[in-house]
């Protein structure tokens, strides 16, 4: 692997399950990491555990334009530029059919998962152009290539960022900036616990435990388990490093074979 020596990576959703694994791995591989998430205390703790000579942080809501510009500016001020943008912050929303889906939750899911990614690219690309190139990695999902009942907001948002990625890849190629998505199947993080809990509660059946709920997801994954955050982070590392120098405009599954079978 080429590693990330000398590179600066901005990572949103940095204190979540996947973001934390990517932040640690990128720093281990030699990058300076600029961590972005909502909670300042969690960010400080993560930055300290990585080491302040390698990690900085900005508390920001990625849905807000001014805060997005500010986290990009803060990374440039601290590290002198940006080579990698890992647009990873995301929320799952709730589980409901479209007629029952709360409008405000739909709007929030689209704001975080779509607008937040777009704002990161909008303010990140001009800075990355100054470095003469770079890599943008967007966390989509298996939910970005197929539907799921009661997940309309989330699946719509994860499809949308694939379209956004393709547009950005075409716009950015002349500047040497590559743009790709990573598409995980269920991964062992808070987000899957939340989805399992919501599904179990909706079934309102005493026999349905979180374990049985999890089993229904696992049964659809040929490798018969959830992925772990480090397995996703390693694909993010590949796409962020020069090892993937001819890869742009692509959708990279990290899904234990989930997308190989019928959906
Ligand atoms: P997570 O909930 O552990 O992490 C998400 C992080 O995003 C959290 O730290 C949260 O605070 C942050 N965030 C949410 N809204 C934000 C906002 N407005 N501004 C800044 N930060 C915000 O979940 P995760 O599993 O680590 O998810 C990371 C990404 O991976 C998400 O985009 C998610 O949709 C995607 N994903 C997850 C799975 C999975 O099974 N866990 C599968 C496919 C894709």
């Amino acid at each position: 692997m080429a590693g990330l020596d000398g590179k600066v990576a901005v990572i949103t959703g940095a204190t979540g399950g996947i973001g934390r694994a990517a932040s640690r791995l990128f720093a281990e591989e030699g990058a300076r990491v600029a961590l972005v998430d909502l909670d300042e205390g969690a960010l400080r703790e993560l930055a300290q555990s990585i080491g302040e000579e390698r990690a900085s942080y900005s508390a920001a809501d990625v849905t807000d334009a001014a805060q997005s510009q500010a986290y990009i500016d803060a990374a440039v001020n601290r590290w002198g530029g940006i080579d990698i943008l890992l647009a990873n912050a995301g929320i799952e929303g709730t589980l409901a059919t479209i007629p029952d889906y709360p409008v405000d939750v739909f709007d929030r899911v689209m704001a975080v998962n779509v607008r937040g990614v777009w704002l990161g690219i909008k303010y990140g690309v001009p800075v990355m152009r100054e470095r003469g190139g770079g890599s943008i990695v967007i966390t989509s999902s298996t939910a970005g290539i197929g539907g799921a009942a009661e997940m309309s907001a989330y699946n719509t948002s994860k499809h949308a960022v694939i379209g956004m990625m393709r547009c950005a890849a075409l716009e950015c190629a002349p500047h040497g900036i590559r743009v790709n998505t990573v598409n995980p199947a269920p991964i062992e993080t808070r987000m899957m616990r939340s989805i399992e809990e919501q599904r179990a509660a909706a079934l309102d059946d005493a026999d349905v435990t979180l374990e049985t709920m999890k089993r229904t997801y696992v049964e659809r994954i040929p490798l018969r388990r959830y992925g772990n955050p480090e397995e996703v982070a390693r694909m993010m590392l590949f796409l962020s490093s020069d090892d993937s120098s001819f890869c742009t405009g692509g959708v990279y599954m990290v899904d234990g074979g989930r997308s190989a079978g019928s959906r």
Side-chain angles (χ1 to χ4, degrees):
M1 294 286 274
L4 299 178
D5 268 343
K7 300 206 191 277
V8 177
V10 172
I11 300 173
T12 73
T15 63
I18 294 172
R20 188 174 286 267
S23 301
R24 291 191 189 287
L25 180 63
F26 282 24
E28 280 164 25
E29 290 291 325
R32 302 290 180 262
V33 291
L35 314 172
V36 180
D37 210 304
L38 291 169
D39 184 84
E40 185 153 5
L43 283 164
R44 187 181 314 112
E45 215 172 283
L46 179 61
Q48 283 170 353
S49 75
I50 292 172
E52 286 173 20
E53 70 295 347
R54 289 193 173 279
S56 62
Y57 63 89
S58 302
D61 181 339
V62 298
T63 68
D64 183 274
Q67 293 183 44
S68 296
Q69 178 74 72
Y71 77 65
I72 294 290
D73 290 346
V76 173
N77 289 338
R78 177 67 178 88
W79 304 113
I82 297 171
D83 306 287
I84 296 158
L85 170 64
L86 177 52
N88 169 73
I91 56 174
E92 67 278 17
T94 192
L95 269 83
T97 61
I98 294 173
D100 293 330
Y101 206 98
V103 173
D104 60 332
V105 178
F106 178 86
D107 287 345
R108 186 68 188 163
V109 171
M110 295 302 281
V112 177
N113 296 7
V114 182
R115 178 183 156 102
V117 174
W118 188 83
L119 288 170
I121 296 172
K122 177 176 174 58
Y123 297 119
V125 163
V127 174
M128 295 171 78
R129 279 200 302 243
E130 285 173 25
R131 300 275 256 211
S135 173
I136 297 172
V137 179
I138 301 167
T139 312
S140 176
S141 170
T142 46
I145 62 162
E150 304 189 338
M151 290 288 284
S152 58
Y154 186 74
N155 284 49
T156 300
S157 74
K158 294 297 180 182
H159 278 71
V161 290
I162 292 177
M164 190 192 302
M165 172 276 290
R166 292 186 171 129
C167 297
L170 296 176
E171 290 182 10
C172 290
H175 306 287
I177 302 170
R178 300 179 294 101
V179 192
N180 295 286
T181 64
V182 169
N183 293 57
I187 303 297
E188 300 284 2
T189 73
R190 179 213 64 82
M191 188 174 284
M192 277 315 298
R193 292 297 90 73
S194 159
I195 293 170
E196 289 157 6
E197 278 165 22
Q198 292 191 59
R199 277 229 189 273
L203 289 176
D204 196 20
D205 177 344
D207 292 337
V208 175
T209 63
L210 289 185
E211 256 327 293
T212 54
M213 217 53 260
K214 180 174 180 179
R215 215 173 301 134
T216 62
Y217 283 103
V218 165
E219 275 163 9
R220 288 181 233 144
I221 301 173
L223 289 184
R224 289 288 182 268
R225 63 175 176 85
Y226 283 7
N228 61 58
E230 290 72 25
E231 291 172 306
V232 182
R234 284 200 288 272
M235 176 64 87
M236 293 167 160
L237 170 63
F238 169 70
L239 290 171
S240 298
S241 80
D242 296 339
D243 281 335
S244 59
S245 50
F246 202 50
C247 302
T248 196
V251 173
Y252 290 83
M253 310 308 299
V254 184
D255 71 349
R258 170 77 177 86
S259 55
S262 57
R263 286 196 277 277

